[in-house]
C-alpha cells in the first residue's frame, strides 16, 4: 500500500460518507423528488451512485491487469442508466445505504491495496476519448462523477 493509495481511499471514503449522510437526511418527500439534472427521482440517482458507479470497480481491476476496457459510448451508457433509473425509482434509503456501505468498502479496500505502479497503470478509455490511469479512474468515476449527480 502506498501513501497515494491511502489518500485515494481516504478521499473516496469521505465522498461515500457524504452520500450516506445525504441519503440518511432525506425526508420521504425529498426521496421521491425528481432531480433537475437527470430527471430521475432522488432515490434513483442515489441508487445509481451506490450500484451503478460502484459496479465498474472491475474496470479499475482490468486496467491494473493490463486488460482492454469494454468499448462504450455515452449513448450506450445513457441508455443503460435510463433503464436502471426506471427500475430503481422506488429504491429505499435502507437499500441504498446498504449498497453504499458494501460497495464503498470494496472500492476503499481495493484502492488502499494498490501500490504506486498500480495507480499509474493506464489504458485507453474510448468513452472519454483518451487514456486514463487507475488513480484517475477512481477519482473520475467514483468520486467526481458521483459527486456531479
Amino acid at each position: 500500500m502506498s501513501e497515494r493509495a491511502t489518500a485515494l481511499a481516504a478521499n473516496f471514503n469521505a465522498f461515500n460518507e457524504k452520500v450516506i449522510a445525504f441519503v440518511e437526511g432525506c425526508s420521504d418527500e425529498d426521496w421521491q423528488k425528481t432531480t433537475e439534472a437527470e430527471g430521475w427521482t432522488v432515490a434513483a440517482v442515489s441508487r445509481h451512485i451506490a450500484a451503478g458507479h460502484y459496479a465498474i470497480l472491475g474496470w479499475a481491476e482490468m486496467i491494473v491487469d493490463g486488460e482492454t476496457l469494454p468499448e462504450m459510448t455515452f449513448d450506450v451508457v445513457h441508455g443503460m442508466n435510463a433503464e436502471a433509473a426506471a427500475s430503481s425509482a422506488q429504491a429505499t434509503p435502507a437499500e441504498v445505504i446498504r449498497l453504499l456501505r458494501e460497495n464503498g468498502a470494496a472500492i476503499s479496500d481495493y484502492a488502499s491495496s494498490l501500490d504506486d505502479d498500480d495507480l499509474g497503470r493506464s489504458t485507453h478509455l474510448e468513452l472519454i476519448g483518451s487514456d486514463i490511469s487507475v488513480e484517475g479512474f477512481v477519482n473520475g468515476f467514483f468520486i467526481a462523477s458521483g459527486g456531479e449527480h
Side-chain angles (χ1 to χ4, degrees):
M1 171 176 10
S2 74
E3 287 182 28
R4 283 174 47 208
T6 300
L8 183 63
N11 288 341
F12 171 77
N13 288 334
F15 167 75
N16 200 52
E17 287 302 318
K18 285 181 185 177
V19 178
I20 290 169
F22 170 80
V23 170
E24 290 174 336
C26 280
S27 68
D28 291 343
E29 181 182 336
D30 289 340
W31 192 244
Q32 290 307 315
K33 285 183 179 176
T34 300
T35 64
E36 288 183 35
E38 291 89 359
W40 305 343
T41 63
V42 170
V45 172
S46 299
R47 190 174 191 292
H48 171 72
I49 294 168
H53 278 247
Y54 296 0
I56 59 173
L57 174 60
W59 287 19
E61 294 166 336
M62 290 173 71
I63 298 170
V64 169
D65 293 341
E67 297 175 23
T68 302
L69 294 178
E71 290 194 27
M72 289 273 187
T73 65
F74 276 109
D75 287 341
V76 170
V77 170
H78 293 314
M80 291 184 331
N81 288 345
E83 287 178 27
S87 68
S88 61
Q90 298 301 317
T92 66
E95 171 192 3
V96 171
I97 290 168
R98 179 185 57 78
L99 287 168
L100 287 164
R101 292 194 192 287
E102 289 174 5
N103 295 340
I107 292 168
S108 178
D109 290 348
Y110 182 74
S112 66
S113 75
L114 299 171
D115 61 31
D116 287 342
D117 287 340
D118 293 333
L119 290 170
R121 292 186 201 282
S122 65
T123 193
H124 186 76
L125 179 57
E126 188 58 37
L127 186 65
I128 62 170
S130 67
D131 288 354
I132 190 166
S133 69
V134 171
E135 187 172 17
F137 188 86
V138 172
N139 276 320
F141 284 90
F142 298 135
I143 301 170
S145 182
E148 290 171 1
H149 288 291

